[in-house]
């Protein structure tokens, strides 16, 4: 009766019926726990209502000065400028000049940079943490975007050009006092006796007089730079140039509000041991079903209890602490920013992007297994539990899903833009009905390519298809490869499909033409010969994967072509 203002009469009637049923049929009289779902819903509605109440007016600050270099929204408060201070003080006469390096390290504020109070505190917060909280935070670092992008290059260099790598390191040591950074977790063993050089120093474009002066405050001459370039070339001649692009990934659990409210709980007869359910009296079962709330399929479902919320909390805890960091940092070239239970944000090297996406998504549902200490996807596992180190860990289960947004960006693209875009991509994935992913390739030229798909179509694993197609474009594939010019041919030949819906519906025409173009684009690595049967099998496999990708993802030519462009870019990272 106290909650009538919050709910419709029929919803309250359901809980009243349940209470009366328990009172008349139960072995013990019901207690307040039976109404846990109603109480939780009341609390949730109260919180929503409270958020909409504004009892005060936000102070209005007129922003009129130069904006912060990071957020671009608030006026700068702190700045460093060794050449023209007037450009900061003209509009911000109260701005604090921190040009003297001894006051604030260039690590926190570069020359020519101005920060608002919020961004300045974020930059320098580690000083407070080290002094007031723990020495654990001393010299704590987070990898730069260049470090993420170049880490696979470093991995190759330490395997195939170790001597050249050390020579480059020695030369830098004679020029810079600080060029060492913490390697990514997976690469720490590789750097046991070797200094890890900041990733940006492996890009030829940064070996410039201005770069060394701006970033390190060091004057270098052209001769020294040429020596560095030659030493870097010794490495790249053996292992290729470093990739300039990296990926940022954001995962978010689907329908978490519905899970917490009980809407997605299973039917009552599947909530308990089947032998218990079978022994119940039929009249009792029928009356129980009549008294229970309904799920999304309008069938009587299990009621929400504190134990359900505790289980959800345990499942999300297991996902965040037991699987996410292992996937991102231990098994792959990535760096976790945060794992908050049902959401994950991480930097990933392009080489491992598809694997990380794949494992994070299916670990959320418990569809993984651990083999020889490594996580593998297992879509046949519907138990909801994962065995790890002799323990069975509860997960959200096979009925839970997650959506992922991914952005592939150049390491020099402002991080603020990239992070904003990755959240947009996650929303794009959810807009397609959830349980999917969206990838955006942001070229440095400004061009963007977006491709979207569901994780599974009729038991066909989409990421597995994408991984197969990446291998199909690999020019070192011993079975042959598809020339990347194939993508442009596909687009040109099928551009009519975008304008003529009747033509796109005739799938046989598309399939025949796709097969013809694949045969014409087939190539072999130099010096390799392949039997006709093997070539045929390779082309059939590629055809099946491409056909499934096109028809399953909505028969959109743009989406199909964008996927192929993104896959080739992940493989080659060429502009």
């Amino acid at each position: 009766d106290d909650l009538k203002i919050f709910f419709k009469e029929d919803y309250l009637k359901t809980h009243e019926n349940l209470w009366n049923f328990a009172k008349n049929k139960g072995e013990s009289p019901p207690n307040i726990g039976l109404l846990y779902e109603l109480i939780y819903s009341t609390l949730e509605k109260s919180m929503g209502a409270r958020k909409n109440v504004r009892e005060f007016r936000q102070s209005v600050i007129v922003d009129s000065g130069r904006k912060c270099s990071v957020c671009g929204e608030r006026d700068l408060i702190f700045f460093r400028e060794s050449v023209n201070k007037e450009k900061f003080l003209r509009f911000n006469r109260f701005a604090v000049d921190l040009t003297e390096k001894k006051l604030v390290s260039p690590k926190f504020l570069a020359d020519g940079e101005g920060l608002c109070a919020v961004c300045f505190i974020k930059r320098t917060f580690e000083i407070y943490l080290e002094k007031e909280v723990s020495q654990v935070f001393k010299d704590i670092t987070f990898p730069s975007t260049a470090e993420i992008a170049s880490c696979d290059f470093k991995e190759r260099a330490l395997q195939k050009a170790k001597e050249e790598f050390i020579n480059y390191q020695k030369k830098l040591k004679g020029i810079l006092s600080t060029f060492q950074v913490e390697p990514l977790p997976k690469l720490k063993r590789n750097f046991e006796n070797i200094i890890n050089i900041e990733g940006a120093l492996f890009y030829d474009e940064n070996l410039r007089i201005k770069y060394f002066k701006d970033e390190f405050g060091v004057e270098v001459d052209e001769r020294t730079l040429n020596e560095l370039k030659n030493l870097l070339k010794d490495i790249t001649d053996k292992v290729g140039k470093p990739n300039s692009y990296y990926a940022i990934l954001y995962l978010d659990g689907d329908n978490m509000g519905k899970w917490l409210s009980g809407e997605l709980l299973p039917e009552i007869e599947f909530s308990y041991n089947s032998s218990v359910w079978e022994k119940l009296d039929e009249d009792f079962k029928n009356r129980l079903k009549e008294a229970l709330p309904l799920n999304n399929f309008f069938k009587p479902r299990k009621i929400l209890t504190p134990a359900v919320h505790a289980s959800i909390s345990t499942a999300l805890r297991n996902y965040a602490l037991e699987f996410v960091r292992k996937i991102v940092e231990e098994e792959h070239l990535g760096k976790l920013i945060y794992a908050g239970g049902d959401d994950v944000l991480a930097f990933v090297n392009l080489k491992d992007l598809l694997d990380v996406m794949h494992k994070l998504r299916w670990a959320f549902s418990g569809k993984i297994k651990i083999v020889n200490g490594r996580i593998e996807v297992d879509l046949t596992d519907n138990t909801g539990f994962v065995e790890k180190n002799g323990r069975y860990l509860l997960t959200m289960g096979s009925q839970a899903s997650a959506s992922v947004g991914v952005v592939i960006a150049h390491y020099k693209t402002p991080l603020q833009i990239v992070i904003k875009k990755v959240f947009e991509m996650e929303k794009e994935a959810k807009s397609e009905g959830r349980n999917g992913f969206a990838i955006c390739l942001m070229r440095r030229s400004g061009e963007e390519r977006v491709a979207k798909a569901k994780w599974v179509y009729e038991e066909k694993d989409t990421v597995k298809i994408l991984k197969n197609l990446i291998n199909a474009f690999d020019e070192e594939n011993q079975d042959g490869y598809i020339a990347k010019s194939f993508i442009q041919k596909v687009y040109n030949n099928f551009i009519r499909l975008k304008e003529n819906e009747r033509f796109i519906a005739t799938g046989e025409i598309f399939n025949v033409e796709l097969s013809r173009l694949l045969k014409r684009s087939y190539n072999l690595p130099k010096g390799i010969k392949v039997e006709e049967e093997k070539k045929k099998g390779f082309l059939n496999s590629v055809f099946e994967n491409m056909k499934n990708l096109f028809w399953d993802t909505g028969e959109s030519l743009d989406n199909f072509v964008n996927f192929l462009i993104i896959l080739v870019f992940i493989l080659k990272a060429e502009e």
Side-chain angles (χ1 to χ4, degrees):
D1 290 342
D2 294 338
L3 305 178
K4 283 181 178 177
I5 60 170
F6 288 97
F7 302 100
K8 291 181 180 178
E9 188 176 343
D10 58 344
Y11 184 76
L12 285 175
K13 191 69 178 174
T14 298
H15 288 279
E16 187 178 353
N17 291 340
L18 181 62
W19 182 273
N20 290 332
F21 175 80
K23 187 177 178 181
N24 297 327
K25 296 286 186 178
E27 292 182 0
S28 304
N31 59 40
I32 194 70
L34 191 63
L35 299 180
Y36 180 78
E37 181 175 325
L38 192 61
I39 296 167
Y40 170 77
S41 299
T42 304
L43 177 61
E44 191 177 41
K45 288 177 179 291
S46 300
M47 287 292 290
R50 187 64 188 85
K51 285 180 179 178
N52 290 326
V53 176
R54 295 289 183 267
E55 294 176 342
F56 65 93
R57 180 175 292 182
Q58 181 70 44
S59 299
V60 178
I61 300 174
V62 179
D63 290 336
S64 58
R66 192 180 180 92
K67 301 303 176 189
C68 172
S69 302
V70 174
C71 69
E73 297 175 2
R74 295 174 287 271
D75 284 0
L76 71 87
I77 302 296
F78 305 97
F79 73 92
R80 167 170 277 141
E81 175 58 54
S82 57
V83 180
N84 181 18
K85 295 182 182 181
E86 283 301 313
K87 70 179 182 181
F88 288 108
L89 295 171
R90 190 178 299 122
F91 299 107
N92 305 75
R93 58 195 182 94
F94 297 111
V96 180
D97 181 5
L98 297 176
T99 304
E100 293 298 321
K101 290 185 173 64
K102 62 182 180 181
L103 194 61
V104 176
S105 166
K107 172 185 175 182
F108 302 114
L109 191 64
D111 194 34
E113 192 174 37
L115 300 179
C116 66
V118 175
C119 292
F120 183 76
I121 288 172
K122 286 180 180 179
R123 283 270 185 94
T124 58
F125 193 52
E126 63 183 75
I127 300 173
Y128 170 83
L129 291 173
E130 179 192 343
K131 186 178 178 182
E132 303 293 337
V133 181
S134 170
Q135 283 294 306
V136 169
F137 295 98
K138 186 177 182 181
D139 298 325
I140 192 169
T141 60
F142 198 88
S144 65
T145 51
E147 182 70 15
I148 300 292
S150 65
C151 60
D152 64 321
F153 164 82
K154 292 181 180 183
E155 189 176 43
R156 294 195 307 273
L158 290 175
Q159 290 172 354
K160 300 177 182 178
K162 190 172 183 178
E163 185 179 341
E164 290 80 0
F165 190 96
I166 292 172
N167 290 338
Y168 188 61
Q169 169 199 303
K170 288 177 180 176
K171 185 64 181 177
L172 280 170
K173 198 172 182 179
I175 303 169
L176 303 173
S177 58
T178 56
F179 61 91
Q180 180 179 0
V181 294
E182 188 80 10
L184 289 188
K186 192 191 173 193
L187 294 182
K188 279 189 177 179
R189 290 182 193 169
N190 303 53
F191 286 96
E192 281 181 356
N193 300 310
I194 302 172
I195 294 174
N196 181 36
I197 303 165
E198 161 58 43
L201 291 166
F202 288 100
Y203 296 97
D204 190 73
E205 65 199 59
N206 293 328
L207 300 183
R208 303 283 185 272
I209 291 174
K210 188 177 185 306
Y211 178 82
F212 277 81
K213 186 177 180 181
D214 291 347
E215 293 296 319
F216 303 101
V218 173
E219 298 280 354
V220 293
D221 54 36
E222 286 293 346
R223 180 184 170 187
T224 304
L225 287 175
N226 286 332
E227 289 175 0
L228 277 174
K229 289 176 183 177
N230 289 332
L231 289 170
L232 179 58
K233 189 174 183 299
D234 290 341
I235 304 173
T236 57
D237 283 347
K238 284 193 172 183
V239 300
K241 292 185 177 181
N243 192 344
S244 298
Y245 285 76
Y246 71 99
I248 188 166
L249 173 152
Y250 176 58
L251 174 145
D252 187 55
D254 295 331
N255 295 313
M256 290 310 298
K258 290 184 178 180
W259 280 107
L260 290 169
S261 68
E263 286 183 53
L264 298 181
L265 289 175
E267 289 177 56
I268 188 65
E269 59 188 282
F270 302 120
S271 299
Y272 302 101
N273 189 292
S274 56
S275 62
V276 173
W277 181 259
E278 288 166 5
K279 290 175 183 176
L280 293 175
D281 180 81
E282 285 300 318
D283 181 62
F284 179 88
K285 288 193 282 191
N286 291 333
R287 288 180 179 275
L288 175 61
K289 288 180 179 180
E290 289 173 4
L292 288 170
L294 305 178
N295 63 16
N296 278 7
F297 302 100
F298 302 101
K299 293 182 178 179
R301 61 168 171 83
K302 176 181 173 68
I303 61 170
L304 184 66
T305 64
V308 172
H309 277 173
S311 295
I312 291 173
S313 179
T314 299
L316 295 178
R317 174 261 175 213
N318 288 341
Y319 177 66
L321 298 184
E322 301 286 350
F323 304 126
V324 174
R325 190 177 295 279
K326 180 174 173 60
I327 291 168
V328 175
E329 295 188 350
E330 294 179 27
E331 297 188 356
H332 298 286
L333 295 172
K335 182 64 179 177
L336 185 64
I337 301 173
Y338 64 75
D342 68 317
D343 59 344
V344 174
L345 188 65
F347 286 132
V348 187
N349 181 269
L350 284 194
K351 170 176 164 278
D352 289 342
L353 174 59
L354 292 179
D355 283 328
V356 172
M357 286 171 56
H358 203 211
K359 290 182 182 181
L360 285 178
R361 160 62 188 95
W362 294 113
F364 187 77
S365 298
K367 287 179 170 285
I368 56 171
K369 59 184 176 183
I370 298 178
V371 180
N372 297 325
R374 289 183 64 83
I375 291 175
E376 293 182 5
V377 172
D378 181 9
L379 298 187
T380 64
D381 187 350
N382 294 315
T383 65
F385 290 88
V386 177
E387 185 182 1
K388 183 184 179 187
N389 300 329
R391 295 181 299 148
Y392 283 93
L393 300 173
L394 177 69
T395 69
M396 284 297 293
S398 61
Q399 298 305 306
S401 65
S403 299
V404 168
V406 174
V407 173
I408 298 170
H410 192 276
Y411 76 92
K412 286 192 174 181
T413 303
L415 190 56
Q416 181 186 6
I417 294 172
V418 181
I419 290 177
K420 183 179 178 182
K421 178 62 71 172
V422 81
F423 288 129
E424 286 179 18
M425 287 299 100
E426 185 269 336
K427 287 189 176 72
E428 281 284 333
K430 285 192 185 291
S431 71
E432 297 293 310
R434 296 183 173 85
N435 197 24
F437 59 93
I439 305 175
C440 175
L441 168 60
M442 295 176 66
R443 294 184 191 269
R444 201 177 180 192
S445 62
E447 179 194 8
E448 292 185 3
R449 294 272 182 176
V450 175
K452 297 178 282 188
K454 296 283 189 185
W455 295 106
V456 175
Y457 294 96
E458 297 177 354
E459 298 185 355
K460 296 191 291 285
D461 186 339
T462 305
V463 173
K464 193 172 181 181
I465 288 173
L466 297 180
K467 288 168 71 175
N468 289 338
L469 290 177
I470 275 192
N471 292 331
F473 286 104
D474 187 352
E475 294 178 7
E476 296 181 7
N477 194 330
Q478 299 299 297
D479 292 336
Y481 66 92
I482 304 301
K484 64 179 182 180
S485 58
F486 162 82
I487 301 173
Q488 191 63 47
K489 291 175 186 175
V490 166
Y491 188 79
N492 291 339
N493 282 27
F494 291 114
I495 191 69
R496 289 172 294 170
L497 300 181
K498 292 179 66 180
E499 302 161 357
N500 191 330
E501 292 181 8
R502 189 173 178 184
F503 182 65
I504 196 170
T506 56
E508 193 56 36
I509 295 175
F510 177 88
N511 292 344
V512 169
E513 185 63 8
L514 180 66
S515 178
R516 185 185 73 84
L517 290 173
L518 281 172
K519 289 174 183 174
R520 292 191 62 185
S521 301
Y522 176 80
N523 289 286
L524 281 168
K526 287 182 181 179
I528 299 293
K529 290 185 178 180
V530 170
E531 297 174 4
E532 190 63 29
E533 201 62 34
K534 211 169 187 181
K535 173 185 172 181
K536 199 173 181 182
F538 172 82
L539 286 171
N540 285 340
S541 173
V542 176
F543 170 73
E544 285 298 318
N545 282 314
M546 285 196 179
K547 182 185 74 171
N548 288 333
L549 184 65
F550 177 76
W551 294 109
D552 287 343
T553 57
E555 307 167 23
S556 165
L557 182 62
D558 282 341
N559 197 57
F560 176 68
V561 167
N562 285 351
F563 258 125
L564 297 184
I565 288 172
I566 289 169
L567 293 178
V568 171
F569 194 88
I570 289 173
L571 180 67
K572 301 183 178 183
E574 294 175 352
E575 288 285 2

